[in-house]
Amino acid sequence: MTTDTALAMEPALQQRIPFEVKNALEEDLGGSVSVELDVTAMLIAAETRAHARVITRDAGVFCGLAWVNEVFHQLDPTVVVTWHVADGDTVTPDQLLFELTGNARALLTGERTALNFVQSLSGTASATASAVAHLAGTDTKLLDTRKTIPGMRLGQKYAVRCGGGQNHRIGLYDAYLIKENHIMACGGIAAAVNQARKLQPSRWVEVEVENLAELEQAVQAGSDIIMLDNFSDNDIRTAVQLAKGKAKLEVSGNVTADRLAHYASMNVDYISSGALTKHVHAMDLSMRMTTL
């Protein structure tokens, strides 16, 4: 589990961005990254230069700078991107985000791909910031989940950090999350946790439980984190007392904005929400271009 909220972009994401951008451009251009495949852009004389301004029509938190840079680098490295915001910045309606100067065809060809990345990533960052605000003044941390856009997981998890949230496990490889079917197949909670410790003792071990009896088993087995799946308020309070000083507790399931502060008031360590990355309201953006 990532426990820092720094905006540093990990090497794995830095390596993925060119690949993600290339795929997106190829999707828009019929299989190859070439401005000449944009049939509408070809209406403009090849030598025409232009200047464009990109603004947001929505308030929120910005995310996506590296993706925009990469879009125009791949289409035309001579395009100049001038930034007025950074990832993690709070933005307001009609605020200027960035400017573009360069070949008019390249600016138009890259417009939608660049804005698609920004609108989605900023949507995730904005949703996270809104949720985190409900936890202000508490020790409870907001986590994301694996319910992400296919192919965009590292980017969306970076956007969650830009919004002030923290990352749960990245995938199936970096931490254990033992759920109902794992427990059944392993022969019980204790057996599953013990096997995890034997196989990879350095990994975090989290167990999802559905009632207080399973919670007690998970505590006794030495779980690092215990996820309370759709627990009632009374059971959450009891769980906090049972696990105090023995395991971290995470609340999950049907987490809504109006319940965040309520859960935090019960002193759980984490609240996880799939809505941060799957119920994304895209930031409304606009690009206006003038020829030079």
Side-chain angles (χ1 to χ4, degrees), residues 64-160:
L65 183 151
W67 285 263
V68 173
N69 287 342
E70 185 64 26
V71 165
F72 292 101
H73 175 75
Q74 290 193 22
L75 286 172
D76 182 350
T78 68
V79 170
V80 176
V81 187
T82 303
W83 285 98
H84 298 276
V85 294
D87 288 344
D89 282 357
T90 299
V91 296
T92 57
D94 300 320
Q95 183 173 339
L96 178 63
L97 303 178
F98 60 93
E99 297 176 82
L100 302 165
T101 305
N103 182 269
R105 289 181 175 181
L107 267 54
L108 290 169
T109 298
E111 174 185 1
R112 178 43 49 201
T113 298
L115 298 193
N116 280 349
F117 280 115
V118 171
Q119 71 183 20
S120 298
L121 294 169
S122 296
T124 292
S126 300
T128 303
S130 178
V132 167
H134 290 278
L135 303 178
T138 76
D139 293 326
T140 302
K141 306 302 181 185
L142 183 69
L143 303 177
D144 52 24
T145 72
R146 287 170 49 237
K147 297 175 182 176
T148 53
I149 299 170
M152 283 293 296
R153 178 168 298 167
L154 291 180
Q156 282 197 290
K157 283 182 172 283
Y158 170 70
V160 165

Side-chain angles (χ1 to χ4, degrees), residues 270-291:
Y270 304 109
I271 301 172
S272 59
S273 173
L276 303 178
T277 51
K278 71 185 181 79
H279 296 165
V280 177
H281 174 75
M283 182 176 282
D284 189 9
L285 307 170
S286 176
M287 185 176 104
R288 289 293 181 264
M289 188 180 83
T290 57
T291 56

